[in-house]
Amino acid sequence: MENVSEKNPVLEGEDIFLRLMNKEDTENIVKWRNSDFVRRNFIYQKPFTREGHQHWIETMVDTGKVVQFIICTKGGQPVGSVYLRDINKIDHKAEYGIFIGEKDALGKGFGTQAARLIIRYAFEQLGLHKVMLRLLADNKQAYRSYEKAGFVQEAYLKDEVYLEGTYKDVIYMAIIHQNSTVNAECIKWRF
């Protein structure tokens, strides 16, 4: 497969496609990350700024520590973002993150499809062995979506973070390459 730095991959699923994030997506990213229904599900809940996002692009995306995609409907409407962060080429692993930023796109399976696409990308394109994620334990909808995508729970950490005046539990989930259940028939690649 081709190297992500040499191409601009588009990962196509059944109802969505993923395209690499660019600087023009900053306005949507900031708007989405600051909306209450997105922010409350993140461990990092401080206000998201344009300057902070630019810093993220310069220090993480541009350096190859992060690969970030925009989730788009088949009609081309951007509805969220999915990414691999802290890409570790020595241990062949990364951390997964996602958010659906448009309320009318929630509950349509876009998150599960995006997860399956980026997992396959992580394993086949980046050569990773393991993709992990962290989520707040009370985010049951995300947990179910991650399970559908093939992630399994590895740890449950009590009172791990302090948010909004209370301690919250955090779940670690992961998917390992040889255990991947990604359905190859539903994914098309376009480079």
Side-chain angles (χ1 to χ4, degrees):
M1 297 214 119
E2 300 168 59
N3 187 315
V4 69
S5 64
E6 296 171 2
K7 294 287 180 181
N8 187 6
V10 173
L11 288 57
E12 293 187 37
E14 187 176 322
D15 301 311
I16 61 162
F17 66 90
L18 308 180
R19 64 165 173 79
L20 284 175
M21 179 194 68
N22 59 52
K23 291 180 182 175
E24 288 75 38
D25 294 309
T26 298
E27 186 176 321
N28 273 337
I29 297 283
V30 171
K31 175 185 77 169
W32 292 333
R33 284 287 276 117
N34 286 323
S35 66
D36 285 340
F37 72 95
V38 171
R39 185 190 47 74
R40 74 171 178 253
N41 290 314
F42 268 79
I43 293 171
Y44 180 83
Q45 295 190 354
K46 292 182 181 173
F48 212 69
T49 65
R50 174 177 275 287
E51 296 76 26
H53 184 65
Q54 287 302 120
H55 182 72
W56 167 266
I57 290 171
E58 292 165 9
T59 62
M60 302 295 282
V61 176
D62 290 349
T63 63
K65 295 175 187 168
V66 170
V67 176
Q68 187 164 358
F69 291 89
I70 296 298
I71 304 165
C72 299
T73 64
K74 285 292 183 157
Q77 177 193 1
V79 296
S81 183
V82 62
Y83 54 90
L84 297 168
R85 64 173 288 156
D86 302 323
I87 297 170
N88 181 326
K89 294 180 182 178
I90 295 170
D91 295 323
H92 307 282
K93 64 182 183 176
E95 183 173 349
Y96 169 86
I98 187 171
F99 54 91
I100 303 296
E102 298 294 335
K103 275 193 174 182
D104 62 351
L106 295 172
K108 295 186 176 181
F110 295 163
T112 300
Q113 287 183 53
R116 288 178 176 154
L117 288 167
I118 204 162
I119 289 165
R120 183 167 179 211
Y121 178 82
F123 294 155
E124 294 182 9
Q125 186 72 19
L126 300 181
L128 300 181
H129 173 68
K130 181 177 184 176
V131 176
M132 60 80 63
L133 64 86
R134 298 172 292 156
L135 77 146
L136 297 172
D138 59 3
N139 191 348
K140 306 291 186 213
Q141 184 176 0
Y143 188 91
R144 285 189 301 275
S145 176
Y146 299 146
E147 276 188 320
K148 286 179 190 174
F151 286 94
V152 296
Q153 183 173 319
E154 289 193 335
Y156 191 102
L157 306 173
K158 299 287 288 173
D159 293 347
E160 182 69 6
V161 295
Y162 189 75
L163 298 171
E164 299 175 341
T166 186
Y167 289 98
K168 297 208 178 224
D169 300 346
V170 172
I171 295 173
Y172 277 60
M173 299 179 83
I175 185 167
I176 296 175
H177 183 55
Q178 70 263 24
N179 295 333
S180 175
T181 58
V182 176
N183 182 354
E185 290 81 45
C186 72
I187 299 173
K188 296 177 188 170
W189 297 93
R190 193 174 76 215
F191 291 93

